[in-house]
Amino acid sequence: MAANRVVREEGLPMAYAWGAWGSIIASNLTSPIDALYLAAIFDPVFTASYPTTRLVEPISLFQALLRAFSPPQWTPPNGTKLLDLEAVMLANPSRPVVVFPECTTTNGRGILPFAPSLLTAPPKAKIFPISLRYTPGDITTPVPGTYLTFLWNLLSKPTHCIRVRIAETVHNTSRSTYSSGTSTARTVQTGYLDTLQDDTASSTDTLLGSDEGGEGLTGAEKKVLGKVIDALARLGRVKRVGLGEQCYDNLRISRNAWDSNIVKVNPHFLSVNWEASGGGAFAVIPLTEKGRLREQLPLFRGHTSVVLDTDWNPFNDWVIASGSDDGKIFIWKVPEDFTLQSDAEEPTDIEPIAKLLGHSRKVGHVLFNPAAENVLGSSSGDYTIKIWDVEAASPQLTLKHTDVVQSLSWSANGSLMVTTSRDKKLRIWDVRQEKPAHVVPGHAGAKNSRSVWMGEHDRIATTGFSKMSDRQLGLWDIRSPAEPVGGFEMLDSISGVCMPFWDDSTQCLYLAGKGDGNIRYFEYTQDKFEYLSEYKSGDPQRGLAFLPKRGVNMHENEVMRAFKTVNDAYIEPISFVVPRRSEVFQGDIYPPATGTKPAMSSSEWFRGKEGLPPKIDLESVYDGGAATEVQADYQASSQTPALPSATPKESEIEPARVKEEEPIEPPSAAIGSAPLSMKDQASSIGAMASKFADKDEAADQEEDDDDTSSFEEVTKPVDRSGRSLPVDTKTDQKVAAATASPQKAPAAIFMASIPKEAPSTPSSLPGSDQPLPTPTSLLATSTQITPDQPSRSSSTDGPPISGYLQEIKTLLEQQTKTMADQNEKIGRLSSEVDMLKMSVGDKDKRRSLEKDARIEALERELKGLKQGSERSG
């Protein structure tokens, strides 16, 4: 056989004393060469594991080679001598023990479910996960009947590269709870050869056993096996096979080509369009019932054709509407104590509680009004949108289009609606007038476009395609929507429709493309979208839904949670979290959110009433208390935003990297504490600030290192009288508004707000430590010299006027001296500039360039001093 080349990329050195007592090698098994390599390097004791027992069978090297050519064995043969790992290690104290916990060979494209044999290791034993990969990969997993081909591939090539990766040690911390013996038999999917079709993500629990999700194992035992599984998956650059407890598996998601989101979610339930025969149906899944679902589920049946869209009532989590290809709209109510884990052999389907008839063709979209109770909008292939009074089960309003409606979205108060249609028009409707307020050209591409109203803003976000089929993002002002604000922004050239989702609490827009696995998010700031980051996945999605804010896990600082469909077979949750160490409520990332109380009834809305629904204070429900309502226009107090990260936590995609690369953020401001200083913020947002910094001003700052900070202010004169000066209340309010530093509220948690740079006016005279007076300080000072204003908030006895006049005189003298020093500096700089200009032509080219730069710097400084002098005058 040709010589093999070993590549060791990470982990422990190969010179490690593997022969020391207490070493276990947990290796994947992808080729017969694995056993040969391990035998040549480590001289170990080989063992065979079985899915139905925690014990192992000691085998020879030859038997280990033969097992690579054999099909999986469910149970050990009769008469097999089984031992636990501790007994094997005691019998061979000078040799490491090799365990193949997957029980069979694989094609190396994933990690199969583990047998529980590693749980019999002693607590102090060192378990080393080892991944073996081959390049080229034609010598992995010989398929039955192709053994000669395998040998030919192995011997015909001069070189095969064995890539060896070794992870850190894992200890069996669950050993104290273990008692030797055979475990209860469990079903296990030990896929063989090329049965690995998709590298889907999973959690530890299903990797231990299968349908029961590791039944019979304690939490500590699952954690031990999970560490080894994660290590092998990371080393092999693959994902784990099977679906985890955080996913909803064994689904038959509708494959209908209609462009809808397919799934919808609220804090209690998840709805998904179902691939059903004999009529249309959709399934409702309680969010707590994760894992592999039963083959037969209770479905919501009643439509005579495929269900195209569903939507949950925003004010009643147990009511849902559905639209179908049969042209009907049904209203459903989820039964009390609804569960999919029923003991009945034949589950009972749920029937609708109301039917809304009025469309002549298929109903493609249904969407509840976000402010009024029981008001529903529906779009149809008959080119209309009907507004329904669900209580009366009749359409009250009709919005007529000229082509098929592709998307619709309500404004926050439910009075306006935006729609996109196949005629490439964007329409903004005054719904109760049944006519569009604006009809403007939208995206010019032939493919579908989407729109979403940006919460309480008077802005709309749209996604679509250009004439060249590039995906675009547009921001529209509803007051003048002739053109998008700043024009269309090109995203990429992928062909899938881009689904937009708006989060009003963080001011972020999420974009998820159909056919790709990425979710991008942008912050809305200064009337434009700033790209923040992107969640990337190799699993494409056809449908996506976001959980309402009142349903996120605030104890883990989760700000958003998405549910994506994968391969039309399961739904995977993706959690976006802010990595913070604090264990208290984070008020800056959880402002009040819309609750379950509507702003008005359906009859009031049809009569013309407008309003925003009441919000709830999320801090009141943080510890499980009752929700406290706040006014709809309530705004949380501004706090310094954190520097967060988007982490797909619940799907546990590369959790090790999430922990290792946790961003460093400034200390979160506790409730009632003072905001962070500018100095504290600088260290955490310095990297992002460079993106917005002006390069010229930064260069000036480097040249003028002696200048003091531009944030210094003249200190307020000391009140020597010890008594407050009576000031008019209205004037006081105006002054406070003028003197308050313009601090931007945390528009989004995903990007720290960067304060705008101050004007280039220096804060002090060069060479002097005395700061220049700022307009803010002058305004504050001038406000305090108004004793003639009527007193409204202080006592009738006013302080002596002479003290204040003396302070004013002193301040004026300081300002006069400052201006004189400033003028002297201006003259000195002017002379230096003139001298440099005269000597430029007498020097060589290189020195001339340096002087030019100095002249420009001095001119900018001179200009700034002149402006400061004019303002001071």
Side-chain angles (χ1 to χ4, degrees):
M1 185 179 67
N4 291 315
R5 179 163 50 93
V6 177
V7 178
R8 174 169 47 85
E9 290 195 346
E10 64 184 55
L12 301 176
M14 301 298 289
Y16 182 83
W18 291 96
W21 186 90
S23 298
I24 299 175
I25 298 175
S27 174
N28 61 341
L29 184 58
T30 59
S31 173
I33 310 301
D34 292 353
L36 287 175
Y37 172 80
L38 295 174
I41 301 298
F42 306 119
D43 187 27
V45 176
F46 290 95
T47 62
S49 300
Y50 299 93
T52 55
T53 179
R54 301 188 182 208
L55 306 181
V56 296
E57 175 191 1
I59 59 176
S60 64
L61 172 60
F62 182 70
Q63 289 175 308
L65 290 173
L66 290 181
R67 289 182 69 86
F69 294 91
S70 304
Q73 296 186 31
W74 181 261
T75 57
N78 294 332
T80 301
K81 181 181 178 181
L82 298 178
L83 301 173
D84 59 22
L85 286 177
E86 184 174 4
V88 175
M89 297 173 72
L90 289 174
N92 302 272
S94 62
R95 302 171 64 189
V97 178
V98 172
V99 178
F100 300 109
E102 294 175 285
C103 305
T104 182
T105 53
T106 72
N107 58 9
R109 296 191 302 176
I111 304 300
L112 290 180
F114 271 18
S117 56
L118 289 174
L119 300 176
T120 64
K124 294 185 179 180
K126 297 179 180 179
I127 303 174
F128 293 91
I130 294 184
S131 173
L132 302 176
R133 300 293 295 274
Y134 299 91
T135 305
D138 53 5
I139 59 171
T140 60
T141 313
V143 178
T146 63
Y147 299 139
L148 293 178
T149 303
F150 169 80
L151 293 175
W152 174 260
N153 292 334
L154 178 63
L155 301 177
S156 62
K157 292 182 173 61
T159 302
H160 277 90
C161 176
I162 304 178
R163 195 174 298 271
V164 183
R165 296 187 177 100
I166 307 173
E168 297 178 351
T169 58
V170 177
H171 293 276
N172 183 13
T173 56
S174 68
R175 184 64 176 86
S176 59
T177 62
Y178 166 74
S179 60
S180 249
T182 303
S183 65
T184 304
R186 297 185 303 277
T187 304
V188 64
Q189 301 294 334
T190 58
Y192 182 61
L193 309 177
D194 288 336
T195 56
L196 300 178
Q197 296 180 355
D198 297 297
D199 296 334
T200 54
S202 69
S203 70
T204 302
D205 292 351
T206 20
L207 292 170
L208 308 178
S210 64
D211 299 345
E212 290 83 4
E215 183 179 358
L217 299 181
T218 65
E221 291 173 338
K222 295 178 182 179
K223 186 176 181 180
V224 171
L225 290 181
K227 289 181 180 179
V228 182
I229 292 168
D230 291 338
L232 285 178
R234 177 171 54 87
L235 295 179
R237 308 308 196 254
V238 295
K239 295 182 180 179
R240 297 162 289 175
V241 177
L243 298 175
E245 279 195 348
Q246 302 302 327
C247 298
Y248 305 87
D249 187 17
N250 197 28
L251 304 180
R252 292 189 290 275
I253 301 174
S254 174
R255 293 181 173 83
N256 189 274
W258 176 253
D259 181 25
S260 69
N261 290 355
I262 301 179
V263 294
K264 292 292 179 67
V265 66
N266 68 20
H268 297 282
F269 302 105
L270 173 71
S271 68
V272 53
N273 299 350
W274 202 256
E275 185 72 17
S277 59
F282 66 95
V284 171
I285 306 171
L287 293 185
T288 56
E289 298 185 11
K290 302 173 183 178
R292 185 176 178 85
L293 303 181
R294 302 177 57 184
E295 293 293 334
Q296 298 293 331
L297 300 179
L299 298 178
F300 287 63
R301 292 184 182 270
H303 290 286
T304 58
S305 188
V306 60
V307 173
L308 300 179
D309 194 24
T310 59
D311 191 47
W312 291 99
N313 190 324
F315 309 113
N316 189 336
D317 292 336
W318 276 259
V319 174
I320 187 173
S322 64
S324 170
D325 202 9
D326 59 11
K328 301 175 183 177
I329 302 170
F330 288 172
I331 307 298
W332 315 73
K333 185 175 181 180
V334 181
E336 294 184 4
D337 301 326
F338 178 75
T339 179
L340 302 180
Q341 308 299 328
S342 175
D343 296 332
E345 295 183 0
E346 293 291 335
T348 303
D349 293 334
I350 290 85
E351 297 183 355
I353 60 174
K355 300 181 180 180
L356 308 181
L357 308 178
H359 286 295
S360 59
R361 302 190 67 178
K362 67 180 180 182
V363 177
H365 302 92
V366 289
L367 190 63
F368 276 99
N369 190 295
E373 186 177 21
N374 294 326
V375 175
L376 178 70
S378 64
S379 68
S380 171
D382 57 13
Y383 304 165
T384 65
I385 292 179
K386 292 187 180 296
I387 310 301
W388 302 80
D389 184 348
V390 176
E391 297 176 0
S394 61
Q396 303 294 320
L397 305 170
T398 301
L399 312 181
K400 297 181 180 180
H401 292 69
T402 59
D403 212 327
V404 175
V405 176
Q406 295 174 338
S407 70
L408 66 156
S409 180
W410 291 95
S411 63
N413 62 3
S415 62
L416 302 176
M417 177 183 286
V418 58
T419 63
T420 60
S421 58
R422 200 163 56 186
D423 59 6
K424 306 176 185 178
K425 299 292 185 181
L426 178 72
R427 294 175 172 84
I428 301 174
W429 297 82
D430 185 348
V431 179
R432 283 167 293 203
Q433 299 298 323
E434 297 185 87
K435 61 181 181 181
H438 299 282
V439 180
V440 297
H443 296 271
K447 299 179 181 179
N448 286 6
S449 60
R450 294 287 194 96
S451 62
V452 61
W453 204 289
M454 293 170 54
E456 299 178 13
H457 294 287
D458 54 0
R459 296 291 187 271
I460 295 168
T462 62
T463 59
F465 294 83
S466 67
K467 291 183 178 180
M468 302 300 294
S469 296
D470 295 324
R471 288 202 296 198
Q472 295 176 327
L473 170 64
L475 174 65
W476 306 79
D477 185 349
I478 66 171
R479 294 166 297 186
S480 56
E483 295 287 341
V485 178
F488 289 114
E489 177 182 351
M490 193 186 79
L491 299 174
D492 50 46
S493 299
I494 302 177
S495 60
V497 175
C498 205
M499 300 176 284
F501 300 90
W502 172 254
D503 179 23
D504 207 33
S505 62
T506 60
Q507 302 293 295
C508 284
L509 178 71
Y510 294 79
L511 301 182
K514 285 196 171 186
D516 61 83
N518 304 335
I519 302 176
R520 279 172 281 198
Y521 36 97
F522 301 76
E523 179 191 10
Y524 174 66
T525 175
Q526 298 180 355
D527 212 20
K528 63 180 180 180
F529 290 118
E530 290 287 351
Y531 173 78
L532 297 181
S533 185
E534 182 176 11
Y535 160 74
K536 295 184 179 181
S537 171
D539 300 321
Q541 65 242 354
R542 286 186 57 236
L544 192 79
F546 274 90
L547 188 68
K549 182 65 68 173
R550 55 190 173 90
V552 300
N553 188 346
M554 293 180 287
H555 291 275
E556 295 186 1
N557 296 328
E558 180 186 51
V559 292
M560 289 292 280
R561 190 189 308 169
F563 294 79
K564 60 176 286 187
T565 65
V566 180
N567 298 329
D568 293 333
Y570 69 94
I571 294 177
E572 175 189 19
I574 303 169
S575 181
F576 295 83
V577 299
V578 178
R580 287 186 175 178
R581 302 183 187 277
S582 177
E583 297 181 357
V584 298
F585 178 77
Q586 305 295 309
D588 57 333
I589 61 176
Y590 295 116
T594 302
T596 57
K597 183 178 179 180
M600 66 207 80
S601 64
S602 58
S603 57
E604 291 174 332
W605 185 84
F606 283 110
R607 288 198 299 267
K609 184 177 179 179
E610 293 185 8
L612 295 172
K615 296 181 179 180
I616 59 174
D617 185 3
L618 295 179
E619 185 177 6
S620 63
V621 298
Y622 179 76
D623 292 323
T628 302
E629 288 189 3
V630 296
Q631 295 181 356
D633 57 353
Y634 174 84
Q635 298 293 335
S637 59
S638 176
Q639 297 186 16
T640 301
L643 179 63
S645 172
T647 305
K649 177 175 172 48
E650 287 203 24
S651 59
E652 292 191 320
I653 296 180
E654 300 186 19
R657 186 169 64 183
V658 171
K659 295 179 181 178
E660 294 171 2
E661 299 178 0
E662 179 177 348
I664 300 175
E665 64 170 65
S668 58
I671 299 174
S673 64
L676 297 178
S677 64
M678 185 61 62
K679 180 178 180 180
D680 295 331
Q681 293 187 33
S683 61
S684 63
I685 64 176
M688 289 192 301
S690 61
K691 175 181 177 182
F692 303 89
D694 188 283
K695 296 182 179 178
D696 293 335
E697 294 181 6
D700 295 343
Q701 184 66 24
E702 291 178 0
E703 291 182 5
D704 303 330
D705 291 333
D706 295 333
D707 291 352
T708 56
S709 171
S710 60
F711 290 93
E712 296 179 8
E713 294 183 3
V714 175
T715 56
K716 181 179 178 181
V718 180
D719 187 1
R720 298 188 179 92
S721 64
R723 306 175 66 178
S724 59
L725 179 66
V727 181
D728 183 58
T729 305
K730 294 183 179 179
T731 306
D732 232 3
Q733 295 175 353
K734 294 179 180 180
V735 171
T739 58
S741 59
Q743 177 69 29
K744 177 185 173 184
I749 64 163
F750 296 104
M751 181 172 291
S753 299
I754 309 298
K756 293 184 178 179
E757 292 186 338
S760 57
T761 306
S763 60
S764 64
L765 289 174
S768 174
D769 294 333
Q770 181 177 357
L772 290 175
T774 61
T776 301
S777 61
L778 292 177
L779 179 59
T781 305
S782 62
T783 305
Q784 297 176 6
I785 58 175
T786 56
D788 55 336
Q789 295 179 352
S791 173
R792 298 185 182 182
S793 58
S794 60
S795 61
T796 56
D797 297 333
I801 303 300
S802 58
Y804 292 101
L805 293 177
Q806 181 63 32
E807 291 177 357
I808 295 170
K809 182 178 179 180
T810 303
L811 180 62
L812 291 175
E813 290 176 354
Q814 293 177 354
Q815 293 177 357
T816 302
K817 182 180 179 181
T818 298
M819 294 174 62
D821 293 341
Q822 194 174 25
N823 291 332
E824 182 182 352
K825 177 64 176 178
I826 291 173
R828 189 164 60 251
L829 291 177
S830 300
S831 301
E832 186 178 355
V833 169
D834 294 336
M835 292 176 62
L836 288 174
K837 286 182 177 180
M838 293 174 62
S839 61
V840 166
D842 302 332
K843 306 297 180 180
D844 56 20
K845 183 177 181 180
R846 184 173 180 179
R847 194 167 181 180
S848 176
L849 293 176
E850 294 177 354
K851 289 185 177 181
D852 288 341
R854 176 60 179 169
I855 289 172
E856 292 176 0
L858 290 173
E859 286 178 343
R860 286 195 298 269
E861 184 177 358
L862 178 61
K863 182 179 179 181
L865 289 172
K866 289 181 178 180
Q867 292 177 352
S869 177
E870 293 174 359
R871 285 196 293 269
S872 299

